[in-house]
């Protein structure tokens, strides 16, 4: 067993882990993997509990300014059942204005996955700020962001806990009725950006058959709905070749998992 002698940070020697043989490294990896799998199962269980949280009906009317003019909260769903709204700080008084949004909120925007994958799961993601639409359009073009982004014009931010700090609210639409189903902020907000993390905070979840969801919730076969972001077609059946490939991959995964348990 050896150590790294010359690793230094700010002139101080780093207390790096030991350097070991490939066999010892693999043993350490497998030991940690046990905890990582437990963490994954705990995360799935937490998402299942989140899907069973009570809902709060939104009875107040809210108005936003979009690229095409005034829009309501219902309009933000874009015809889908689920809506995720991230409050991004871009407005006078925010550090970076008018050239940039808040650095933290900009990091969130930079890591957002292509929204077509969320859309395929009946979910819309929207950013909301108090900056005028002209400034938002300019910023999006400069930074290469394509996320739908609206201007808050009333008390939406204050009413939903995001007037003084960033946060992510989740809503569900049932006909003309809208419900607030989840809210996360601060450290819980920093993991947002990936498709799976977003779906895990929605009331319907990833909508795959392996999930523990309440009875009657929409679920489709695992992997089968996945597609290239420019190839989703509403109502289209899964591609037959992709079904074959994903079935083979899932079978191999199940066999490997079964072998680890024996």
């Amino acid at each position: 067993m050896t150590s790294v002698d010359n690793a230094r940070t700010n002139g101080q020697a780093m207390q790096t882990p030991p350097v070991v043989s490939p066999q010892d490294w693999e043993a350490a990896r497998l030991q940690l993997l046990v905890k990582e799998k437990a963490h994954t199962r705990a995360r799935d269980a937490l998402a299942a509990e989140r899907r069973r949280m009570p809902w709060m009906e939104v009875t107040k009317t809210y108005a936003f300014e979009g690229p095409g003019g005034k829009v309501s909260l219902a309009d933000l769903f874009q015809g889908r059942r689920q809506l995720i709204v991230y409050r991004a700080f871009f407005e006078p008084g925010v550090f970076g204005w008018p050239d940039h949004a808040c650095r933290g909120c900009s990091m969130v925007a930079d890591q957002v996955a292509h929204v077509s994958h969320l859309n395929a799961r009946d979910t819309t993601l929207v950013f909301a700020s108090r900056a005028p639409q002209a400034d938002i359009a300019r910023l999006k073009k400069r930074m290469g962001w394509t996320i739908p982004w609206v201007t808050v014009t009333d008390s939406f931010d204050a009413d939903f806990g995001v007037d003084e700090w960033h946060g992510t609210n989740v809503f569900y639409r049932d006909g003309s009725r809208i419900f607030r189903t989840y809210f996360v902020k601060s450290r819980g907000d920093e993991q947002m950006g990936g498709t799976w993390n977003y779906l895990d905070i929605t009331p319907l979840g990833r909508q795959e058959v392996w999930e523990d969801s309440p009875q009657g919730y929409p679920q489709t076969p695992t992997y089968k709905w996945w597609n290239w972001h420019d190839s989703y077609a509403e109502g289209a059946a899964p591609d037959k070749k992709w079904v074959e490939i994903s079935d083979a991959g899932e079978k191999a995964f199940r066999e490997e998992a079964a072998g680890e348990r024996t």
Side-chain angles (χ1 to χ4, degrees):
M1 184 180 296
T2 62
S3 61
V4 178
D5 298 324
N6 60 351
R8 305 181 71 84
T9 300
N10 297 325
Q12 299 295 317
M14 292 174 55
Q15 298 300 310
T16 59
V19 177
V20 299
S21 68
Q23 294 78 13
D24 288 343
W25 186 91
E26 182 64 16
R29 186 191 75 86
L30 292 175
Q31 186 177 15
L32 183 61
L33 185 61
V34 173
K35 295 181 179 179
E36 289 177 334
K37 289 190 174 185
H39 174 75
T40 297
R41 289 190 290 269
R43 185 184 62 208
D44 290 342
L46 185 61
E49 186 173 348
R50 194 179 290 124
R51 288 190 288 277
R52 291 166 171 83
M53 271 191 60
W55 295 358
M56 181 195 80
E57 186 163 10
V58 180
T59 57
K60 189 174 178 178
T61 300
Y62 294 98
F64 305 85
E65 188 75 26
K70 292 289 184 182
V71 290
S72 66
L73 180 61
D75 292 330
L76 298 188
F77 284 80
Q78 298 178 17
R80 302 182 181 97
R81 281 195 284 187
Q82 301 190 130
L83 170 67
I84 301 170
V85 181
Y86 175 72
R87 198 312 190 195
F89 280 89
F90 179 48
E91 59 196 59
V94 170
F95 176 68
W97 174 267
D99 297 323
H100 279 294
C102 156
R103 286 183 175 178
C105 296
S106 297
M107 284 188 68
V108 173
D110 274 336
Q111 63 195 24
V112 170
H114 202 287
V115 297
S116 63
H117 303 295
L118 289 174
N119 297 164
R121 295 279 89 176
D122 213 5
T123 304
T124 299
L125 173 67
V126 174
F127 275 38
S129 300
R130 283 198 169 269
Q133 277 297 298
D135 293 299
I136 290 175
R138 171 178 50 80
L139 178 67
K140 289 177 63 177
K141 181 178 181 180
R142 173 179 178 174
M143 301 300 287
W145 296 330
T146 59
I147 313 152
W149 202 315
V150 297
T151 302
V152 178
T153 65
D154 49 31
S155 63
F156 175 85
D157 47 6
D159 291 349
F160 291 100
V162 289
D163 54 329
E164 296 181 354
W165 197 240
H166 62 83
T168 302
N169 279 282
V170 183
F171 301 92
Y172 184 86
R173 182 180 61 85
D174 183 10
S176 61
R177 300 176 71 188
I178 296 176
F179 305 89
R180 187 192 195 193
T181 64
Y182 188 67
F183 175 60
V184 62
K185 64 176 183 177
S186 302
R187 283 292 307 278
D189 216 21
E190 68 184 14
Q191 66 174 329
M192 293 295 105
T195 300
W196 305 125
N197 282 337
Y198 276 130
L199 289 177
D200 282 347
I201 65 171
T202 64
L204 299 182
R206 304 185 188 191
Q207 303 164 53
E208 295 185 338
V209 293
W210 62 269
E211 284 184 302
D212 175 12
S213 292
Q215 185 175 359
Y217 274 44
Q219 290 186 320
T220 59
T222 307
Y223 309 129
K224 304 303 182 289
W225 65 274
W226 299 6
N227 211 335
W228 299 293
H229 75 248
D230 64 349
S231 300
Y232 284 108
E234 187 176 356
D239 182 86
K240 291 183 178 180
K241 184 61 177 179
W242 174 238
V243 170
E244 294 174 4
I245 293 172
S246 59
D247 280 347
E250 185 172 9
K251 180 181 179 182
F253 167 75
R254 300 300 177 192
E255 290 176 349
E256 179 184 0
E260 291 176 354
R261 291 194 294 269
T262 59

